[in-house]
Amino acid sequence: MKHLRFCCLLSLTVSFPLVTSIWSQSLVHKGDLIYHGAFRLPTDQDGGSRFGYGGTAPVYHPMNNSIFMVGHDWDQKVSEVSIPALVISDDIDDLNTAEMLQPFRDISEGEMYTVDDGTIKIGGLLHDGDKLIMSAYTYYDADGDQLLSHCTSDTNITVVGDVEGMFQLGTLGAGFVSGYMTKVPTEWQSAFGGTAITGQCCIPIISRSSYGPAAFVFDPEDLGVEDPVPVIPLVYYPDEEPLSPWNSTGPWFNGTTSITGVVIPEQRRSVLFFGSHGIGEFCYGTGEDCNDPVNGSQGTHAYPYVFQIWAYDILELLAVKNGQVDPWDVTPYAVWNFDFPITEGNKQIGGATYDPETGMIYVSQLRIDGFDAYPLVHAFTLRGPHLYVDMSASGSGNGTTWANAFTSLQDALAISHAGDTIHVAEGNYYPDIGALQSNADRNEAFVVDSGVVIYGGYPSGGGVRNPVLNPTILSGDIDGNDVVTPATLPAHVVGANAYHVISCEGGVFDGLIISGGLANGTDAMHQVGAGVYASGVMTIRECLITGNIASGTGLNGQGGGLYLANGALTLRNVTFSGNHASDSGSGWYATDGGVVVQQNVELQD
């Protein structure tokens, strides 16, 4: 049985300072990834290989600001390339091309081919001091007997005779550990009990591997010292406990899933697995049999395919590490799809790697560049907890700075989550304006997640916050014909305004003018709370709620300015002015069970 959450277990086994540190870190969510551009790989063939049909197992090398990566799939040789200036474009010809810093080499010096018979592939690379750690797996291990998987080599890959290994990690078999690797951030190493993780997923003969992301902690210092090298499981899914059935249709896992990279960002509470996944109906057969236009081969299909991230909460993985739950009983707290500016239908990722100094995540996209199917390397960072909105901004619009602010509050809300603070400059903001909104739809409202704080009152472009001098207006005038904006009297509201300006079960609103809501719909909910329809736990402070109308039949038509449907609401330094309700509570109205805490609340006609 999955779908468990273990948010409070660590207090039994981890010291209080560590628990405090863990809880102070936020989870990564879909909207946190900021795209910075891409670059091409060189066409050099020095060393007897090339990057065409290659691009797997990338690993960042901090000493040279470079990336080691596997070349052509047939050769399984590694080269080091520079990282040129990143370019955001949907035209490959616009991208800069990396330079080859070290030629292609078999960094195992043939040792990888001793782990088993058949085709051997590099599963992952890890930088550790002056060493490269490599994992390797048998592509088709029918008898599931591969045990050896890892070796070490010098980062100067032209050196000969320095290889150590192959080594066995753990006792489950190489099918669980012989793939992607990453370093554990310093702040988590004590809790994890090691400095690196390794894993594997979804490779042929799936019964010998994990039916979903797998991750095991190990210490690179143990390679060649202990046999087998000790590993600590964080998550894995054996064949009797899959994340989802192999032949399922759904967002988590099926026979089309490929997971080839893992990243643990600094100062976050997330482990991110990168790969691709078929989200359509699962089918086994030819592409024609399975209505798959991008993969005609005999095998598994679930068209269409997406690039995907599986996100796990470190707290839950530590509960596994501490023996409190089984490795297959944790599930992702989120999965989400993403894409690149240059893409095609048969999506494949070669791996992911991380630069903790800059926070840059590099992801290789396979078989996309030219006739010889060269990879591209794309780069992302994770945004911080502050978002910026300015209707007059003209930058990139990613919301990370005032210069690049969102021009719509709804676009900031779409990617916000608990722990975020949204700063909004002066101007008029409407709930039907945003990338995901329907223009002139009266059902649109500003909806805020619990734990998100919105501050208004900044001058355009940023600066000293002053809500009086820099009015930030959330207006329901979606048809643009109110007498004035903001409306300050019921007579100012004209036409088909939004039913609710704000409709929330949480969040904090500070320094805003909330105006022009018209709750005159045909159902009870749309006849109350024109300015604010509140439930759950909310705080409104330093706000003016003005010119909102609730008009209903019978006992409806309540709370023109604000309606509290149960829950708990804190009002601090709030003025209600010029609102109207046809039944009761022109300023505000609370139902039985609603708890309102008031501090300096003023009601005006």
Side-chain angles (χ1 to χ4, degrees):
M1 182 65 182
K2 297 184 174 68
H3 312 287
L4 304 180
R5 286 290 179 259
F6 313 101
C7 61
C8 300
L9 293 177
L10 288 180
S11 60
L12 300 177
T13 54
V14 182
S15 66
F16 179 77
L18 179 57
V19 172
T20 302
S21 173
I22 288 172
W23 281 108
S24 69
Q25 307 217 12
S26 62
L27 297 171
V28 177
H29 294 270
K30 179 178 182 178
D32 294 348
L33 267 72
I34 303 297
Y35 184 70
H36 287 270
F39 63 89
R40 306 172 81 175
L41 275 298
T43 58
D44 306 53
Q45 299 187 35
D46 189 0
S49 188
R50 64 187 189 279
F51 281 113
Y53 293 96
T56 58
V59 63
Y60 180 74
H61 186 201
M63 306 309 295
N64 294 336
N65 186 36
S66 61
I67 290 177
F68 289 98
M69 189 183 302
V70 179
H72 197 289
D73 186 59
W74 288 357
D75 305 322
Q76 295 297 301
K77 292 184 177 182
V78 174
S79 174
E80 182 183 11
V81 299
S82 67
I83 299 175
L86 300 168
V87 175
I88 299 176
S89 177
D90 59 2
D91 186 342
I92 286 180
D93 290 337
D94 292 340
L95 305 183
N96 293 315
T97 301
E99 295 181 5
M100 182 175 285
L101 302 182
Q102 292 197 69
F104 287 102
R105 290 291 187 270
D106 171 7
I107 63 171
S108 80
E109 298 182 30
E111 292 300 318
M112 62 184 286
Y113 299 103
T114 68
V115 301
D116 203 1
D117 298 327
T119 300
I120 310 298
K121 295 181 180 291
I122 295 175
L125 294 172
L126 180 72
H127 173 260
D128 185 63
D130 61 352
K131 298 290 185 182
L132 277 180
I133 300 172
M134 186 195 82
S135 66
Y137 67 98
T138 308
Y139 180 72
Y140 197 85
D141 186 9
D143 52 13
D145 64 351
Q146 181 191 349
L147 295 176
L148 304 178
S149 57
H150 287 63
C151 68
T152 67
S153 174
D154 198 282
T155 53
N156 181 351
I157 60 177
T158 61
V159 173
V160 177
D162 64 330
V163 174
E164 297 182 13
M166 306 296 285
F167 304 116
Q168 177 180 343
L169 271 66
T171 58
L172 282 177
F176 286 89
V177 297
S178 58
Y180 43 79
M181 291 182 282
T182 193
K183 297 298 290 289
V184 175
T186 302
E187 68 261 28
W188 296 111
Q189 290 179 4
S190 176
F192 273 89
T195 61
I197 66 172
T198 188
Q200 183 61 284
C201 172
C202 330
I203 52 179
I205 314 298
I206 183 64
S207 59
R208 50 125 175 191
S209 187
S210 179
Y211 290 66
F216 299 81
V217 179
F218 76 104
D219 191 336
E221 296 297 320
D222 290 334
L223 294 170
V225 177
E226 299 196 44
D227 186 23
V229 175
V231 299
I232 303 171
L234 299 178
V235 59
Y236 68 89
Y237 304 95
D239 58 355
E240 65 273 16
E241 295 284 353
L243 178 59
S244 286
W246 178 81
N247 59 351
S248 65
T249 297
W252 279 359
F253 173 84
N254 59 39
T256 70
T257 303
S258 172
I259 298 176
T260 52
V262 63
V263 167
I264 309 177
E266 299 273 346
Q267 303 300 314
R268 295 297 185 103
R269 215 180 75 208
S270 297
V271 176
L272 307 178
F273 295 90
F274 290 76
S276 59
H277 178 66
I279 60 174
E281 182 177 356
F282 182 82
C283 174
Y284 189 89
T286 66
E288 183 177 1
D289 295 336
C290 298
N291 297 313
D292 185 343
V294 300
N295 180 6
S297 63
Q298 175 79 21
T300 58
H301 301 265
Y303 178 83
Y305 304 100
V306 295
F307 298 121
Q308 185 158 299
I309 291 174
W310 292 255
Y312 283 77
D313 189 337
I314 283 178
L315 291 179
E316 297 190 15
L317 301 186
L318 291 181
V320 176
K321 179 259 181 183
N322 292 326
Q324 295 161 319
V325 294
D326 290 320
W328 46 87
D329 278 334
V330 293
T331 57
Y333 68 82
V335 298
W336 63 82
N337 309 140
F338 67 100
D339 214 335
F340 305 116
I342 303 165
T343 191
E344 48 84 50
N346 192 17
K347 300 176 186 293
Q348 300 177 69
I349 282 181
T353 186
Y354 179 63
D355 172 12
E357 191 69 28
T358 63
M360 200 74 76
I361 299 171
Y362 296 98
V363 181
S364 63
Q365 177 189 16
L366 301 186
R367 304 184 181 185
I368 192 69
D369 186 359
F371 176 79
D372 209 14
Y374 276 69
L376 297 177
V377 178
H378 301 265
F380 300 85
T381 57
L382 298 177
R383 68 169 178 86
H386 294 271
L387 293 170
Y388 301 87
V389 180
D390 184 349
M391 60 179 294
S392 301
S394 59
S396 67
N398 62 27
T400 58
T401 63
W402 281 118
N404 296 316
F406 293 114
T407 56
S408 162
L409 175 57
Q410 290 285 35
D411 288 344
L413 292 174
I415 68 169
S416 65
H417 50 77
D420 284 341
T421 299
I422 302 175
H423 307 268
V424 190
E426 61 185 326
N428 300 323
Y429 299 90
Y430 302 95
D432 67 325
I433 302 300
L436 303 179
Q437 274 56 55
S438 299
N439 289 346
D441 185 346
R442 299 189 68 195
N443 294 287
E444 296 285 9
F446 293 109
V447 179
V448 181
D449 286 346
S450 179
V452 174
V453 179
I454 299 178
Y455 287 110
Y458 294 93
S460 181
V464 177
R465 179 173 178 259
N466 187 322
V468 175
L469 296 179
N470 311 302
T472 300
I473 302 162
L474 308 189
S475 173
D477 183 23
I478 59 176
D479 56 355
N481 62 356
D482 282 359
V483 175
V484 295
T485 300
T488 57
L489 295 171
H492 293 161
V493 177
V494 178
N497 285 26
Y499 293 121
H500 309 290
V501 180
I502 295 171
S503 179
C504 280
E505 297 182 0
V508 176
F509 299 84
D510 189 309
L512 305 169
I513 298 173
I514 301 164
S515 169
L518 178 58
N520 66 347
T522 58
D523 62 289
M525 179 179 175
H526 292 100
Q527 296 175 3
V528 298
V532 180
Y533 182 91
S535 60
V537 180
M538 286 182 63
T539 297
I540 301 175
R541 60 197 184 207
E542 308 293 342
C543 287
L544 169 64
I545 300 176
T546 180
N548 301 282
I549 301 173
S551 177
T553 58
L555 297 179
N556 296 318
Q558 299 166 330
L562 181 150
Y563 181 91
L564 176 62
N566 297 313
L569 174 67
T570 298
L571 299 173
R572 181 180 302 133
N573 299 330
V574 177
T575 297
F576 294 87
S577 174
N579 301 289
H580 174 75
S582 62
D583 182 74
S584 57
S586 291
W588 61 273
Y589 182 93
T591 61
D592 292 340
V595 178
V596 179
V597 178
Q598 302 180 59
Q599 297 179 6
N600 193 25
V601 174
E602 183 177 357
L603 289 170
Q604 301 176 358
D605 292 336

